[in-house]
Amino acid sequence: MTSYTPAEAAALSGFSLDTLRYYEREGILPPVARSAGGHRQYSEADLGTLGFLKCLRETGMPIERLRRYGELCRDATTVPDRIALLEEHAAAVQRDLDELLAQQSRLDEKLAWYRDQLAQPEPASLVAPPLAD
């Protein structure tokens, strides 16, 4: 079984050493195995968990929900609760994505308006374009 030092786990996961310690201390990450000398030894499974936690964090999941997810993962009977938590977060991500796509559409419209103005032989004043096209 391959094991990784905290520095290796940090490098492979993209988290800082402080974040790894914090996640373990706060129960977001399950307790990590230790060597006979007491040093943390991260497993492939730990790295997989860290990869998913990074995904959740990058999608904006708040620490409190990460903590709840970590707690739930320590009990095999909580799969329905984990599904509900992830579905709730997926819905929040979808709302954020829809909002960003709408904002991108507005930006595209404004860019098209500016480009159209530049293409005109006598462009309208570009100082104050209409805000509500």
Side-chain angles (χ1 to χ4, degrees):
M1 178 176 100
T2 304
S3 65
Y4 302 90
T5 66
E8 291 169 331
L12 291 168
S13 69
F15 287 118
S16 69
L17 286 169
D18 288 337
T19 299
L20 294 180
R21 282 189 217 101
Y22 174 78
Y23 278 12
E24 187 179 357
R25 185 176 59 248
E26 292 297 315
I28 296 168
L29 183 66
V32 175
R34 304 236 177 197
S35 69
H39 298 285
R40 286 179 176 84
Q41 295 181 310
Y42 291 85
S43 67
E44 290 288 339
D46 292 327
L47 290 179
T49 299
L50 287 168
F52 188 61
L53 291 172
K54 186 153 187 77
C55 170
L56 293 175
R57 194 69 184 120
E58 288 174 347
T59 61
M61 182 177 274
I63 291 293
E64 208 38 59
R65 276 201 189 148
L66 282 175
R67 185 177 293 116
R68 177 70 179 138
Y69 180 77
E71 290 168 0
L72 291 171
C73 286
R74 283 188 256 320
D75 180 351
T77 67
T78 64
V79 170
D81 296 319
R82 287 181 245 170
I83 290 170
L85 185 143
L86 292 174
E87 285 176 339
E88 184 179 308
H89 184 63
V93 168
Q94 186 62 57
R95 283 189 301 275
D96 290 346
L97 181 58
D98 292 344
E99 186 175 319
L100 280 171
L101 289 171
Q103 292 166 350
Q104 182 183 33
S105 177
R106 287 284 293 152
L107 285 169
D108 289 344
E109 290 169 9
K110 192 56 68 182
L111 284 166
W113 185 86
Y114 278 121
R115 289 180 179 126
D116 182 58
Q117 293 304 305
L118 286 175
Q120 301 295 320
E122 293 284 327
S125 170
L126 298 181
V127 176
L131 294 177
D133 298 335

mmCIF file of all heavy atoms in Angstrom, residues 2-21 24 29 32-33 40-51 54:
data_model
loop_
_atom_site.group_PDB
_atom_site.id
_atom_site.type_symbol
_atom_site.label_atom_id
_atom_site.label_comp_id
_atom_site.label_asym_id
_atom_site.label_seq_id
_atom_site.Cartn_x
_atom_site.Cartn_y
_atom_site.Cartn_z
ATOM 1 N N THR A 2 0.637 2.143 -0.925
ATOM 2 C CA THR A 2 1.399 3.376 -1.025
ATOM 3 C C THR A 2 0.905 4.362 0.012
ATOM 4 O O THR A 2 -0.294 4.513 0.233
ATOM 5 C CB THR A 2 1.239 3.995 -2.428
ATOM 6 O OG1 THR A 2 1.629 3.028 -3.398
ATOM 7 C CG2 THR A 2 2.082 5.229 -2.579
ATOM 8 N N SER A 3 1.848 5.028 0.660
ATOM 9 C CA SER A 3 1.478 6.093 1.591
ATOM 10 C C SER A 3 2.271 7.346 1.228
ATOM 11 O O SER A 3 3.312 7.280 0.588
ATOM 12 C CB SER A 3 1.729 5.679 3.036
ATOM 13 O OG SER A 3 3.102 5.498 3.275
ATOM 14 N N TYR A 4 1.724 8.471 1.640
ATOM 15 C CA TYR A 4 2.299 9.763 1.283
ATOM 16 C C TYR A 4 2.514 10.589 2.537
ATOM 17 O O TYR A 4 1.691 10.577 3.453
ATOM 18 C CB TYR A 4 1.355 10.513 0.323
ATOM 19 C CG TYR A 4 1.065 9.746 -0.929
ATOM 20 C CD1 TYR A 4 -0.021 8.874 -0.994
ATOM 21 C CD2 TYR A 4 1.884 9.864 -2.047
ATOM 22 C CE1 TYR A 4 -0.286 8.150 -2.145
ATOM 23 C CE2 TYR A 4 1.614 9.147 -3.202
ATOM 24 C CZ TYR A 4 0.524 8.280 -3.242
ATOM 25 O OH TYR A 4 0.271 7.567 -4.371
ATOM 26 N N THR A 5 3.602 11.323 2.541
ATOM 27 C CA THR A 5 3.862 12.237 3.645
ATOM 28 C C THR A 5 2.883 13.407 3.535
ATOM 29 O O THR A 5 2.275 13.623 2.470
ATOM 30 C CB THR A 5 5.295 12.795 3.573
ATOM 31 O OG1 THR A 5 5.398 13.621 2.400
ATOM 32 C CG2 THR A 5 6.342 11.685 3.544
ATOM 33 N N PRO A 6 2.738 14.185 4.589
ATOM 34 C CA PRO A 6 1.879 15.362 4.485
ATOM 35 C C PRO A 6 2.297 16.298 3.349
ATOM 36 O O PRO A 6 1.431 16.816 2.628
ATOM 37 C CB PRO A 6 2.026 16.029 5.849
ATOM 38 C CG PRO A 6 2.289 14.881 6.781
ATOM 39 C CD PRO A 6 3.172 13.950 5.967
ATOM 40 N N ALA A 7 3.584 16.493 3.153
ATOM 41 C CA ALA A 7 4.048 17.373 2.082
ATOM 42 C C ALA A 7 3.666 16.803 0.714
ATOM 43 O O ALA A 7 3.231 17.540 -0.179
ATOM 44 C CB ALA A 7 5.557 17.577 2.169
ATOM 45 N N GLU A 8 3.818 15.493 0.545
ATOM 46 C CA GLU A 8 3.430 14.863 -0.721
ATOM 47 C C GLU A 8 1.919 14.958 -0.936
ATOM 48 O O GLU A 8 1.454 15.259 -2.037
ATOM 49 C CB GLU A 8 3.875 13.401 -0.742
ATOM 50 C CG GLU A 8 5.376 13.208 -0.816
ATOM 51 C CD GLU A 8 5.804 11.768 -0.568
ATOM 52 O OE1 GLU A 8 5.113 11.021 0.165
ATOM 53 O OE2 GLU A 8 6.847 11.380 -1.136
ATOM 54 N N ALA A 9 1.155 14.710 0.132
ATOM 55 C CA ALA A 9 -0.306 14.787 0.029
ATOM 56 C C ALA A 9 -0.741 16.211 -0.311
ATOM 57 O O ALA A 9 -1.657 16.406 -1.113
ATOM 58 C CB ALA A 9 -0.954 14.318 1.331
ATOM 59 N N ALA A 10 -0.079 17.180 0.286
ATOM 60 C CA ALA A 10 -0.405 18.575 -0.014
ATOM 61 C C ALA A 10 -0.123 18.883 -1.483
ATOM 62 O O ALA A 10 -0.948 19.469 -2.175
ATOM 63 C CB ALA A 10 0.385 19.512 0.899
ATOM 64 N N ALA A 11 1.034 18.460 -1.955
ATOM 65 C CA ALA A 11 1.406 18.724 -3.349
ATOM 66 C C ALA A 11 0.448 18.025 -4.313
ATOM 67 O O ALA A 11 0.021 18.611 -5.309
ATOM 68 C CB ALA A 11 2.840 18.271 -3.606
ATOM 69 N N LEU A 12 0.091 16.801 -4.020
ATOM 70 C CA LEU A 12 -0.778 16.033 -4.918
ATOM 71 C C LEU A 12 -2.233 16.505 -4.869
ATOM 72 O O LEU A 12 -2.939 16.443 -5.871
ATOM 73 C CB LEU A 12 -0.704 14.542 -4.578
ATOM 74 C CG LEU A 12 0.630 13.870 -4.901
ATOM 75 C CD1 LEU A 12 0.706 12.488 -4.263
ATOM 76 C CD2 LEU A 12 0.795 13.757 -6.416
ATOM 77 N N SER A 13 -2.674 16.983 -3.712
ATOM 78 C CA SER A 13 -4.077 17.385 -3.555
ATOM 79 C C SER A 13 -4.321 18.843 -3.934
ATOM 80 O O SER A 13 -5.449 19.228 -4.229
ATOM 81 C CB SER A 13 -4.535 17.164 -2.112
ATOM 82 O OG SER A 13 -3.887 18.081 -1.237
ATOM 83 N N GLY A 14 -3.269 19.641 -3.866
ATOM 84 C CA GLY A 14 -3.443 21.066 -4.123
ATOM 85 C C GLY A 14 -3.817 21.855 -2.880
ATOM 86 O O GLY A 14 -4.034 23.063 -2.951
ATOM 87 N N PHE A 15 -3.914 21.194 -1.748
ATOM 88 C CA PHE A 15 -4.187 21.865 -0.481
ATOM 89 C C PHE A 15 -2.868 22.185 0.218
ATOM 90 O O PHE A 15 -1.870 21.505 0.012
ATOM 91 C CB PHE A 15 -5.021 20.975 0.456
ATOM 92 C CG PHE A 15 -6.455 20.831 0.067
ATOM 93 C CD1 PHE A 15 -6.982 19.588 -0.259
ATOM 94 C CD2 PHE A 15 -7.310 21.923 0.047
ATOM 95 C CE1 PHE A 15 -8.310 19.436 -0.598
ATOM 96 C CE2 PHE A 15 -8.651 21.786 -0.294
ATOM 97 C CZ PHE A 15 -9.149 20.540 -0.617
ATOM 98 N N SER A 16 -2.892 23.178 1.062
ATOM 99 C CA SER A 16 -1.704 23.479 1.860
ATOM 100 C C SER A 16 -1.633 22.509 3.042
ATOM 101 O O SER A 16 -2.637 21.870 3.403
ATOM 102 C CB SER A 16 -1.769 24.915 2.388
ATOM 103 O OG SER A 16 -2.795 25.024 3.359
ATOM 104 N N LEU A 17 -0.464 22.412 3.646
ATOM 105 C CA LEU A 17 -0.324 21.587 4.846
ATOM 106 C C LEU A 17 -1.271 22.061 5.944
ATOM 107 O O LEU A 17 -1.881 21.253 6.643
ATOM 108 C CB LEU A 17 1.124 21.634 5.358
ATOM 109 C CG LEU A 17 2.144 20.839 4.547
ATOM 110 C CD1 LEU A 17 3.557 21.168 4.992
ATOM 111 C CD2 LEU A 17 1.882 19.350 4.672
ATOM 112 N N ASP A 18 -1.399 23.380 6.088
ATOM 113 C CA ASP A 18 -2.306 23.925 7.101
ATOM 114 C C ASP A 18 -3.744 23.494 6.844
ATOM 115 O O ASP A 18 -4.482 23.164 7.777
ATOM 116 C CB ASP A 18 -2.226 25.454 7.141
ATOM 117 C CG ASP A 18 -0.929 25.960 7.741
ATOM 118 O OD1 ASP A 18 -0.285 25.201 8.506
ATOM 119 O OD2 ASP A 18 -0.547 27.108 7.451
ATOM 120 N N THR A 19 -4.147 23.500 5.572
ATOM 121 C CA THR A 19 -5.511 23.090 5.237
ATOM 122 C C THR A 19 -5.718 21.614 5.534
ATOM 123 O O THR A 19 -6.761 21.221 6.074
ATOM 124 C CB THR A 19 -5.829 23.399 3.764
ATOM 125 O OG1 THR A 19 -5.706 24.809 3.562
ATOM 126 C CG2 THR A 19 -7.223 22.946 3.387
ATOM 127 N N LEU A 20 -4.734 20.780 5.226
ATOM 128 C CA LEU A 20 -4.851 19.352 5.538
ATOM 129 C C LEU A 20 -5.037 19.142 7.037
ATOM 130 O O LEU A 20 -5.910 18.375 7.461
ATOM 131 C CB LEU A 20 -3.616 18.584 5.053
ATOM 132 C CG LEU A 20 -3.389 18.515 3.548
ATOM 133 C CD1 LEU A 20 -2.124 17.715 3.244
ATOM 134 C CD2 LEU A 20 -4.588 17.929 2.839
ATOM 135 N N ARG A 21 -4.249 19.828 7.831
ATOM 136 C CA ARG A 21 -4.372 19.708 9.292
ATOM 137 C C ARG A 21 -5.734 20.219 9.760
ATOM 138 O O ARG A 21 -6.381 19.614 10.608
ATOM 139 C CB ARG A 21 -3.253 20.474 9.993
ATOM 140 C CG ARG A 21 -1.930 19.743 9.974
ATOM 141 C CD ARG A 21 -0.909 20.449 10.881
ATOM 142 N NE ARG A 21 0.386 20.368 10.247
ATOM 143 C CZ ARG A 21 0.974 21.337 9.558
ATOM 144 N NH1 ARG A 21 0.414 22.512 9.440
ATOM 145 N NH2 ARG A 21 2.148 21.150 9.005
ATOM 146 N N GLU A 24 -8.539 17.812 8.932
ATOM 147 C CA GLU A 24 -8.532 16.663 9.844
ATOM 148 C C GLU A 24 -9.045 17.078 11.223
ATOM 149 O O GLU A 24 -9.891 16.409 11.817
ATOM 150 C CB GLU A 24 -7.132 16.063 9.945
ATOM 151 C CG GLU A 24 -7.118 14.769 10.745
ATOM 152 C CD GLU A 24 -5.744 14.124 10.840
ATOM 153 O OE1 GLU A 24 -4.780 14.637 10.249
ATOM 154 O OE2 GLU A 24 -5.653 13.091 11.529
ATOM 155 N N LEU A 29 -12.012 15.828 7.020
ATOM 156 C CA LEU A 29 -11.256 14.667 6.555
ATOM 157 C C LEU A 29 -11.184 13.681 7.716
ATOM 158 O O LEU A 29 -10.924 14.083 8.854
ATOM 159 C CB LEU A 29 -9.838 15.105 6.144
ATOM 160 C CG LEU A 29 -8.905 14.059 5.570
ATOM 161 C CD1 LEU A 29 -9.430 13.568 4.224
ATOM 162 C CD2 LEU A 29 -7.512 14.630 5.394
ATOM 163 N N VAL A 32 -6.261 10.640 9.771
ATOM 164 C CA VAL A 32 -5.270 10.050 8.875
ATOM 165 C C VAL A 32 -4.416 9.068 9.672
ATOM 166 O O VAL A 32 -4.083 9.314 10.833
ATOM 167 C CB VAL A 32 -4.402 11.169 8.251
ATOM 168 C CG1 VAL A 32 -3.287 10.603 7.399
ATOM 169 C CG2 VAL A 32 -5.278 12.108 7.438
ATOM 170 N N ALA A 33 -4.062 7.950 9.029
ATOM 171 C CA ALA A 33 -3.209 6.948 9.681
ATOM 172 C C ALA A 33 -1.884 7.582 10.084
ATOM 173 O O ALA A 33 -1.435 8.572 9.489
ATOM 174 C CB ALA A 33 -2.974 5.773 8.735
ATOM 175 N N ARG A 40 1.887 11.570 10.158
ATOM 176 C CA ARG A 40 0.738 11.289 9.297
ATOM 177 C C ARG A 40 1.190 10.578 8.025
ATOM 178 O O ARG A 40 2.196 10.940 7.427
ATOM 179 C CB ARG A 40 0.022 12.589 8.918
ATOM 180 C CG ARG A 40 -0.776 13.193 10.024
ATOM 181 C CD ARG A 40 -1.419 14.497 9.548
ATOM 182 N NE ARG A 40 -2.280 15.058 10.550
ATOM 183 C CZ ARG A 40 -1.869 15.836 11.550
ATOM 184 N NH1 ARG A 40 -0.601 16.147 11.666
ATOM 185 N NH2 ARG A 40 -2.742 16.303 12.414
ATOM 186 N N GLN A 41 0.383 9.598 7.599
ATOM 187 C CA GLN A 41 0.636 8.854 6.370
ATOM 188 C C GLN A 41 -0.677 8.826 5.580
ATOM 189 O O GLN A 41 -1.620 8.133 5.957
ATOM 190 C CB GLN A 41 1.084 7.424 6.665
ATOM 191 C CG GLN A 41 2.419 7.342 7.366
ATOM 192 C CD GLN A 41 2.815 5.898 7.619
ATOM 193 O OE1 GLN A 41 2.039 5.106 8.146
ATOM 194 N NE2 GLN A 41 4.038 5.559 7.242
ATOM 195 N N TYR A 42 -0.713 9.573 4.509
ATOM 196 C CA TYR A 42 -1.916 9.656 3.682
ATOM 197 C C TYR A 42 -1.947 8.494 2.701
ATOM 198 O O TYR A 42 -0.935 8.156 2.088
ATOM 199 C CB TYR A 42 -1.948 10.980 2.929
ATOM 200 C CG TYR A 42 -2.177 12.156 3.855
ATOM 201 C CD1 TYR A 42 -1.121 12.752 4.522
ATOM 202 C CD2 TYR A 42 -3.461 12.652 4.066
ATOM 203 C CE1 TYR A 42 -1.329 13.823 5.383
ATOM 204 C CE2 TYR A 42 -3.672 13.717 4.922
ATOM 205 C CZ TYR A 42 -2.607 14.302 5.577
ATOM 206 O OH TYR A 42 -2.818 15.353 6.432
ATOM 207 N N SER A 43 -3.109 7.900 2.553
ATOM 208 C CA SER A 43 -3.287 6.766 1.643
ATOM 209 C C SER A 43 -3.863 7.255 0.315
ATOM 210 O O SER A 43 -4.262 8.417 0.179
ATOM 211 C CB SER A 43 -4.257 5.750 2.268
ATOM 212 O OG SER A 43 -5.560 6.333 2.348
ATOM 213 N N GLU A 44 -3.939 6.339 -0.644
ATOM 214 C CA GLU A 44 -4.591 6.648 -1.924
ATOM 215 C C GLU A 44 -6.048 7.047 -1.672
ATOM 216 O O GLU A 44 -6.566 7.960 -2.310
ATOM 217 C CB GLU A 44 -4.535 5.441 -2.864
ATOM 218 C CG GLU A 44 -3.165 5.107 -3.388
ATOM 219 C CD GLU A 44 -2.647 6.100 -4.419
ATOM 220 O OE1 GLU A 44 -3.461 6.826 -5.027
ATOM 221 O OE2 GLU A 44 -1.426 6.146 -4.610
ATOM 222 N N ALA A 45 -6.702 6.354 -0.733
ATOM 223 C CA ALA A 45 -8.098 6.682 -0.410
ATOM 224 C C ALA A 45 -8.190 8.098 0.154
ATOM 225 O O ALA A 45 -9.118 8.846 -0.186
ATOM 226 C CB ALA A 45 -8.664 5.675 0.582
ATOM 227 N N ASP A 46 -7.233 8.475 1.003
ATOM 228 C CA ASP A 46 -7.219 9.837 1.545
ATOM 229 C C ASP A 46 -7.076 10.855 0.415
ATOM 230 O O ASP A 46 -7.754 11.887 0.416
ATOM 231 C CB ASP A 46 -6.068 10.028 2.544
ATOM 232 C CG ASP A 46 -6.241 9.236 3.830
ATOM 233 O OD1 ASP A 46 -7.387 9.048 4.261
ATOM 234 O OD2 ASP A 46 -5.207 8.809 4.382
ATOM 235 N N LEU A 47 -6.192 10.561 -0.540
ATOM 236 C CA LEU A 47 -6.008 11.476 -1.673
ATOM 237 C C LEU A 47 -7.279 11.566 -2.517
ATOM 238 O O LEU A 47 -7.629 12.640 -3.017
ATOM 239 C CB LEU A 47 -4.816 11.054 -2.527
ATOM 240 C CG LEU A 47 -3.449 11.251 -1.870
ATOM 241 C CD1 LEU A 47 -2.348 10.765 -2.809
ATOM 242 C CD2 LEU A 47 -3.216 12.693 -1.484
ATOM 243 N N GLY A 48 -7.976 10.448 -2.673
ATOM 244 C CA GLY A 48 -9.246 10.472 -3.395
ATOM 245 C C GLY A 48 -10.267 11.339 -2.677
ATOM 246 O O GLY A 48 -10.978 12.140 -3.308
ATOM 247 N N THR A 49 -10.327 11.202 -1.359
ATOM 248 C CA THR A 49 -11.233 12.034 -0.556
ATOM 249 C C THR A 49 -10.850 13.490 -0.688
ATOM 250 O O THR A 49 -11.718 14.361 -0.873
ATOM 251 C CB THR A 49 -11.194 11.597 0.922
ATOM 252 O OG1 THR A 49 -11.618 10.234 1.020
ATOM 253 C CG2 THR A 49 -12.087 12.465 1.783
ATOM 254 N N LEU A 50 -9.555 13.781 -0.607
ATOM 255 C CA LEU A 50 -9.100 15.166 -0.751
ATOM 256 C C LEU A 50 -9.450 15.729 -2.128
ATOM 257 O O LEU A 50 -9.836 16.897 -2.245
ATOM 258 C CB LEU A 50 -7.589 15.262 -0.503
ATOM 259 C CG LEU A 50 -7.164 15.123 0.950
ATOM 260 C CD1 LEU A 50 -5.647 14.936 1.044
ATOM 261 C CD2 LEU A 50 -7.620 16.310 1.771
ATOM 262 N N GLY A 51 -9.335 14.898 -3.149
ATOM 263 C CA GLY A 51 -9.698 15.353 -4.498
ATOM 264 C C GLY A 51 -11.165 15.745 -4.583
ATOM 265 O O GLY A 51 -11.512 16.764 -5.186
ATOM 266 N N LYS A 54 -11.723 18.938 -2.632
ATOM 267 C CA LYS A 54 -11.261 20.086 -3.421
ATOM 268 C C LYS A 54 -12.313 20.473 -4.451
ATOM 269 O O LYS A 54 -12.603 21.653 -4.650
ATOM 270 C CB LYS A 54 -9.928 19.779 -4.090
ATOM 271 C CG LYS A 54 -9.337 20.988 -4.790
ATOM 272 C CD LYS A 54 -7.840 20.878 -4.853
ATOM 273 C CE LYS A 54 -7.190 22.118 -5.383
ATOM 274 N NZ LYS A 54 -7.116 23.203 -4.451
#
